Amino acid sequence: MSKRIEVNDLNVYYGKFKAVEDVTLTIEPRSVTAFIGPSGCGKSTFIRTLNRMHEVIPGAYVEGEVLVDGNNLYGPGVDPVLVRRQVGMVFQRPNPFPTMSIRDNVLAGVTLNNRRISKSDADDLVEKSLQGANLWNEVKDRLDRPGSGLSGGQQQRLCIARAIAVEPEVILMDEPCSALDPISTLAIEDLIEELKQDYTIVIVTHNMQQASRVSDKTAFFNIAGTGMPGKLIEYDDTSVIFSNPSVKATEDYVSGKFG
Amino acid sequence: MTAIQTAPANPLAHGRLHRRTPWMVLGLSFAVAAGVLSLLAAAGTIGSLNLIAVAVLGTVFYIVSIGVLSSQVEGRRQATDRIVTAVVTTAFVLAVIPLVSLVFTVVANGLARFDVQFFTFSMRNVVGEGGGAVHAITGTLLMTGTAAIISIPIGLLTAIYLVEYGRGPLARAITFFVDVMTGIPSIVAGLFAFALFALFFGPGVRMGFAGAVALSVLMIPVVVRSCEEMLRIVPNELREASFALGVPKWLTVLKVVLPTSIAGITTGIMLAIARVIGETAPLLIVAGFTASMNTNLFADRMQSLPVFVFTSYANQGVDFQADLDRAWAGALTLILIVMVLNLAARLIARFFAPKFGR
């Protein structure tokens, strides 16, 4: 499990509007990479290109290449559905399926794909995934209750359990804690620390303390002005970004002079 | 220094009318209106005391007096609020009067023949009293059911195409033509079905299936519109969550979008059925009318409830009261069927609705 991601000269468009320009970076396997930067600089847009979720928006497309273990996600004949089974995603707002129970939510990746699974395998998968997401002890007695009845933090961990139940190689997290309180945030950060053993994790965050706590490497994105494309300004080890960045804008941002 | 100091007035407080004051003003307005009109009637200026005139004049008196009273005691904003409340309530009462009157009239007149015979006999060989509408009820259920079987798949799939797949000129054209279809007069739908079936079966064709086709022309746009609304309110986050799990688009639509919106879709479909079940004109043309039971959709005339009501009223026999009573009972049955459909839609919506709870 867990794979290396290489991004080469990636331009991301919404119709005619170029949202992100010229991104080149390499994400190591079994590491946590954080994307930071001011709002509207293209972090979320960029992370969505890593599992081809970007093109779900009408008129959106990508130029350049994203290689996962050398295979170009945007090569000819690549099936976005297969890409998304390899690269899972957790969204900003917890989005459990409202029609499903907690158990069915965890199994969603299996049942929605019409794959058959025996009851005992399903039970094992539910327990393993919920334990992986640090949620098992809280919900093991009410697996048949609706997932939407959980608290926000629990719902978000349920979404993480749902993402790891399909056993992806990479997990993308788009501001997973921005709708959560500090306690739930802490729970998710601990979880990221554990998940790092098995998965390649990419996380977008507005919280710089969070980036410095959980990530190994940090990428700083910035935007020159409204209507201009976002750019990757600096990409380095987290300790370097937060203590001794080489670009002035990065230093200003992480020290709170702007943004 | 004065000896007496009044407590400083709270700048946030102002006068309030007592909770019962508006009701007293209302009663007083109606009393004054009745008094004025009866004085005028006594003086011979108007003919006689008219209840409708009392209600209109009383309402006008109330709106004026509550406005003046409230602006004196409570200030301008509250006075506006009270006047608008009065106007809105008047509009509501005006809208409800015809509805209540209609239900009351139909029940009062329909109960005379709302008996077992009405639901067990057709009109075959019935002259004068007796007879029933079982052939019309059967025909209505058969034709509306067939129309639903035709319209629901077409309408639902069109809605899914428009919401999930449709982009560009084709989707815009479909939306436009669905809007146009919504406005088709029902008689035109009947003529269309009649012309269509006349091409295959020769002129003068009458059959239940043609009636069902005419009804589905009317029903499809309603189904498309309501399903489209319901599919659009499914949050995009759920679709994205499903895509992110590596679920293909068609399975996402089938297993995430549809189950999430199934309650609303069912309600919409039920309301669409209720909308076409009362159609008279197209069925009069393509299904004709008959006194006999006919359960074969593909041959011969088929009676339906709205047409039964119409023909009973239009072709009265010597014993005209028997025909009128049957017409009213038919109308009552139709209203009850529509009411049952609406209740069923509510129950289904509640049953399927996404459950929230801890």
Side-chain angles (χ1 to χ4, degrees):
Chain A
M1 302 229 279
S2 81
K3 296 196 171 179
R4 176 197 308 272
I5 304 174
E6 279 180 72
V7 180
N8 293 325
D9 299 327
L10 196 76
N11 295 311
V12 192
Y13 296 85
Y14 290 105
K16 288 195 178 106
F17 174 66
K18 192 190 234 182
V20 178
E21 188 173 55
D22 246 359
V23 175
T24 300
L25 52 74
T26 302
I27 295 166
E28 295 298 329
R30 291 185 211 309
S31 70
V32 178
T33 305
F35 294 168
I36 59 171
S39 287
C41 69
K43 312 178 295 291
S44 293
T45 302
F46 175 64
I47 200 174
R48 287 167 64 95
T49 63
L50 300 183
N51 68 342
R52 295 195 59 166
M53 285 295 288
H54 176 64
E55 65 205 45
V56 170
I57 297 157
Y61 66 100
V62 164
E63 281 172 358
E65 55 183 15
V66 178
L67 306 174
V68 173
D69 269 8
N71 302 313
N72 187 4
L73 299 189
Y74 289 92
V78 171
D79 183 356
V81 169
L82 297 178
V83 170
R84 291 175 198 143
R85 284 182 195 168
Q86 302 255 309
V87 186
M89 188 157 193
V90 175
F91 296 85
Q92 182 171 3
R93 292 236 318 257
N95 52 1
F97 297 118
T99 49
M100 298 182 191
S101 66
I102 293 172
R103 179 188 150 89
D104 291 346
N105 261 291
V106 177
L107 292 174
V110 177
T111 51
L112 289 182
N113 279 315
N114 280 344
R115 263 184 283 145
R116 297 245 163 260
I117 181 169
S118 73
K119 183 154 185 318
S120 59
D121 284 356
D123 289 341
D124 290 347
L125 181 60
V126 169
E127 181 169 353
K128 195 179 112 201
S129 306
L130 284 172
Q131 272 181 344
N134 269 339
L135 192 62
W136 175 250
N137 286 329
E138 289 160 65
V139 300
K140 64 183 173 199
D141 300 324
R142 46 172 172 162
L143 292 175
D144 292 326
R145 309 306 304 273
S148 41
L150 298 173
S151 76
Q154 290 172 327
Q155 286 189 21
Q156 192 64 300
R157 277 180 281 152
L158 178 61
C159 293
I160 294 175
R162 183 175 69 185
I164 58 183
V166 294
E167 297 181 340
E169 312 283 346
V170 181
I171 299 178
L172 309 176
M173 297 186 175
D174 186 0
E175 298 184 42
C177 301
S178 65
L180 305 181
D181 69 300
I183 307 287
S184 307
T185 302
L186 191 65
I188 304 248
E189 285 179 10
D190 290 345
L191 178 59
I192 291 172
E193 200 62 33
E194 286 171 30
L195 293 175
K196 187 173 108 171
Q197 316 299 326
D198 297 318
Y199 302 94
T200 305
I201 294 176
V202 183
I203 177 171
V204 168
T205 178
H206 269 293
N207 182 330
M208 278 177 280
Q209 287 80 15
Q210 182 171 59
S212 65
R213 280 193 301 261
V214 300
S215 70
D216 303 309
K217 293 193 112 182
T218 297
F220 172 62
F221 287 78
N222 202 358
I223 186 170
T226 328
M228 310 277 279
K231 284 184 180 175
L232 175 62
I233 303 297
E234 190 171 355
Y235 177 54
D236 211 328
D237 286 342
T238 300
S239 53
V240 176
I241 292 277
F242 281 93
S243 58
N244 190 19
S246 54
V247 183
K248 178 79 167 58
T250 314
E251 189 179 343
D252 288 350
Y253 187 74
V254 298
S255 62
K257 284 202 183 117
F258 86 101
Chain B
M1 270 305 253
T2 48
I4 308 158
Q5 278 193 329
T6 50
N10 183 346
L12 297 176
H14 60 71
R16 287 288 288 168
L17 287 179
H18 190 271
R19 199 157 42 86
R20 287 200 207 98
T21 312
W23 295 106
M24 283 156 59
V25 174
L26 184 67
L28 216 60
S29 304
F30 275 81
V32 169
V36 168
L37 285 174
S38 46
L39 275 179
L40 284 177
T45 322
I46 55 171
S48 62
L49 192 58
N50 185 331
L51 278 182
I52 297 176
V54 172
V56 172
L57 199 62
T59 311
V60 174
F61 281 166
Y62 172 74
I63 293 176
V64 172
S65 49
I66 194 76
V68 171
L69 190 64
S70 175
S71 65
Q72 292 305 312
V73 179
E74 300 181 305
R76 221 179 128 193
R77 186 167 54 82
Q78 293 290 340
T80 317
D81 179 45
R82 291 203 186 271
I83 290 173
V84 172
T85 307
V87 170
V88 169
T89 313
T90 311
F92 168 72
V93 170
L94 276 180
V96 166
I97 286 173
L99 180 69
V100 172
S101 154
L102 184 143
V103 171
F104 178 79
T105 318
V106 173
V107 170
N109 291 310
L111 280 179
R113 276 305 318 278
F114 201 72
D115 48 26
V116 176
Q117 197 185 12
F118 189 77
F119 292 98
T120 44
F121 276 64
S122 74
M123 284 301 290
R124 188 163 183 83
N125 295 334
V126 172
V127 178
E129 284 189 5
V134 69
H135 60 310
I137 297 172
T138 318
T140 283
L141 294 181
L142 275 176
M143 285 192 280
T144 316
T146 313
I149 290 172
I150 298 172
S151 315
I152 293 170
I154 297 179
L156 185 55
L157 290 174
T158 308
I160 289 175
Y161 171 76
L162 287 177
V163 176
E164 304 291 337
Y165 295 93
R167 302 273 177 267
L170 180 60
R172 275 201 299 279
I174 292 176
T175 310
F176 175 72
F177 284 114
V178 166
D179 283 347
V180 171
M181 269 177 87
T182 318
I184 289 182
S186 58
I187 186 83
V188 175
L191 289 171
F192 158 75
F194 187 65
L196 180 71
F197 279 78
L199 283 179
F200 300 121
F201 299 94
V205 61
R206 297 276 196 292
M207 60 165 83
F209 186 71
V213 168
L215 290 186
S216 39
V217 170
L218 296 167
M219 193 173 161
I220 287 171
V222 184
V223 175
V224 173
R225 270 274 163 239
S226 55
C227 292
E228 205 187 333
E229 293 304 317
M230 290 305 139
L231 292 173
R232 274 196 208 289
I233 59 174
V234 173
N236 248 331
E237 297 164 3
L238 296 182
R239 297 188 180 89
E240 295 196 341
S242 177
F243 293 152
L245 291 171
V247 180
K249 188 157 186 172
W250 71 277
L251 279 172
T252 303
V253 172
L254 193 66
K255 294 184 136 190
V256 175
V257 178
L258 281 180
T260 310
S261 56
I262 191 72
I265 288 176
T266 325
T267 315
I269 286 172
M270 287 293 196
L271 294 178
I273 293 175
R275 154 89 180 68
V276 297
I277 204 170
E279 281 298 343
T280 320
L283 297 183
L284 197 58
I285 295 174
V286 285
F289 51 90
T290 170
S292 312
M293 183 77 161
N294 174 15
T295 51
N296 184 355
L297 277 166
F298 297 96
D300 299 331
R301 291 150 198 267
M302 188 178 261
Q303 185 72 306
S304 58
L305 267 176
V307 176
F308 174 83
V309 173
F310 171 73
T311 49
S312 299
Y313 180 79
N315 313 330
Q316 294 167 15
V318 180
D319 185 2
F320 65 89
Q321 193 55 44
D323 275 307
L324 289 183
D325 285 345
R326 280 195 292 265
W328 282 113
L332 179 58
T333 315
L334 194 55
I335 290 181
L336 285 178
I337 292 178
V338 172
M339 209 175 78
V340 167
L341 280 176
N342 277 298
L343 283 177
R346 296 245 159 173
L347 286 180
I348 291 170
R350 184 171 301 174
F351 179 72
F352 279 128
K355 288 157 193 73
F356 296 92
R358 280 163 197 278

